[in-house]
Amino acid sequence: MRVRHFLISLTLAVLCCLPAVRATTVVRFAFDSLCSRAETIAFVRCTSTASVRDTASGRIATRTRLKVLRTIKGDPGDEIVLALPGGQVDGDRMVVPGVPQFSIGQETVIFLTAAEEGGYPWPLGLDQGCYRARTDDKGQRSVMLQSGVTPLPQGALYKPTSHKPFSAPLDQFLLAIQRALETPTGTR
């Protein structure tokens, strides 16, 4: 009986010392909804990232600077700054599932909310609102798409043949965004 009482007390003591765990549920967006709900849509290039630890909470966040290469919706100016949870400081790494990470030089078509607490926008639907771009050896740009991960535009060009990532020409993808923005919400 004493051993059982001791084990219960020990378990409760350990549980009381654990840090708080928070969970987030992210709504799955259809492509048209992602386009219409975004405050800003832009084709951007990451110019810098810097992770910092909040002295009050101890949490790690990464500030990312994005140069606007092309504006599709909204008025982001020449640069967008994001401050998202996660990153690495002094050997401590914090990863938040679904929160996009950017690397310097990476190009992305990004769908953003209006500025929230702290004055920074967030990618709409977290990773759902970030379409990574790449340039092939012929200089052709495309965006990476994946069924079940990134919302897909309508049309034969965007019909996946498997659940593996696939690419679509960047110009065609930007036209799909324009078409979605021009179509009244109730007619989709």
Side-chain angles (χ1 to χ4, degrees), residues 50-55 58-62 86-94:
S51 296
V52 295
R53 183 185 312 270
D54 182 281
T55 52
R59 292 187 187 120
I60 297 173
T62 299
Q88 185 167 343
V89 175
D90 299 328
D92 293 333
R93 183 165 179 78
M94 183 176 137

Side-chain angles (χ1 to χ4, degrees), residues 138-176:
K138 296 178 185 174
Q140 300 298 313
R141 286 181 168 158
S142 59
V143 291
M144 299 307 299
L145 304 169
Q146 186 171 1
S147 180
V149 177
T150 52
L152 303 178
Q154 293 182 357
L157 180 64
Y158 306 103
K159 299 258 188 254
T161 56
S162 72
H163 284 286
K164 293 180 181 177
F166 65 100
S167 62
L170 176 64
D171 291 338
Q172 293 296 317
F173 182 72
L174 296 176
L175 282 173

Side-chain angles (χ1 to χ4, degrees), residues 89-130:
V89 175
D90 299 328
D92 293 333
R93 183 165 179 78
M94 183 176 137
V95 176
V96 181
V99 173
Q101 298 175 8
F102 298 88
S103 56
I104 295 174
Q106 175 184 5
E107 294 180 340
T108 305
V109 177
I110 193 164
F111 295 69
L112 297 170
T113 65
E116 296 187 3
E117 270 185 54
Y120 300 102
W122 280 66
L124 191 60
L126 300 178
D127 241 351
Q128 294 176 73
C130 296

Side-chain angles (χ1 to χ4, degrees), residues 4 13 21-22 24-25 29 64 120 127-128 134-135 137 139 148:
R4 183 178 171 174
V21 177
R22 291 172 171 67
T24 300
T25 301
F29 285 97
T64 303
Y120 300 102
D127 241 351
Q128 294 176 73
R134 68 179 190 180
T135 305
D137 31 339

